[in-house]
Amino acid sequence: MLLALFVAAAAFARLGRRRATPDALGRSLRLLALGVTLGIAVAVLPDTVSDSGVAASYLLGVPTIAALLPLAADLVGRAVGVTTTLAAIVVLAWGLLLGLGDGVYFVIPALVLGAAAVVSVTPRRGTSVPERQDRAADA
């Protein structure tokens, strides 16, 4: 897990130097969230199966599917921000719901999806930010 965080930090540093677009950064964060979610699901699978049996399919499947949906929306190119935000909420809620067990680890990809949702927000077209007038020029 620590290695994945170092790789992610290096990838973001490289994207930052290239002045990546918000779309590329958001896509990278969504991919990272899916990778972390899959890594957590695989890591906790044996314990979850031994504790819950067949219920492990939905205990680990819900956050995995929720992390996969923003990438599908990104491929289609529609409602990426909304899908990413909803996925972050679902994964966070699921992680907190299962917080007494291994579900607390799903808070990490939820935070990454939240960052991807923030990056995915684009300003509306046609609205302008009023420029500040230089107070020294008025004096």
Side-chain angles (χ1 to χ4, degrees), residues 35-48 60 64 106:
V36 170
T37 303
L38 289 174
I40 291 170
V42 168
V44 301
L45 183 64
D47 290 336
T48 307
L60 300 177
T64 303
F106 288 112

Side-chain angles (χ1 to χ4, degrees), residues 17-72:
R17 277 187 266 138
R18 290 183 159 188
R19 303 200 190 278
T21 63
D23 292 337
L25 186 58
R27 185 174 297 124
S28 298
L29 286 170
R30 286 186 287 276
L31 281 170
L32 177 65
L34 178 64
V36 170
T37 303
L38 289 174
I40 291 170
V42 168
V44 301
L45 183 64
D47 290 336
T48 307
V49 169
S50 69
D51 287 344
S52 304
V54 179
S57 62
Y58 70 84
L59 289 174
L60 300 177
V62 168
T64 303
I65 297 299
L68 186 63
L69 289 177
L71 286 174

Side-chain angles (χ1 to χ4, degrees), residues 76-95:
V76 174
R78 302 196 41 115
V80 177
V82 172
T83 308
T84 306
T85 303
L86 288 175
I89 291 169
V90 166
V91 173
L92 180 64
W94 199 256

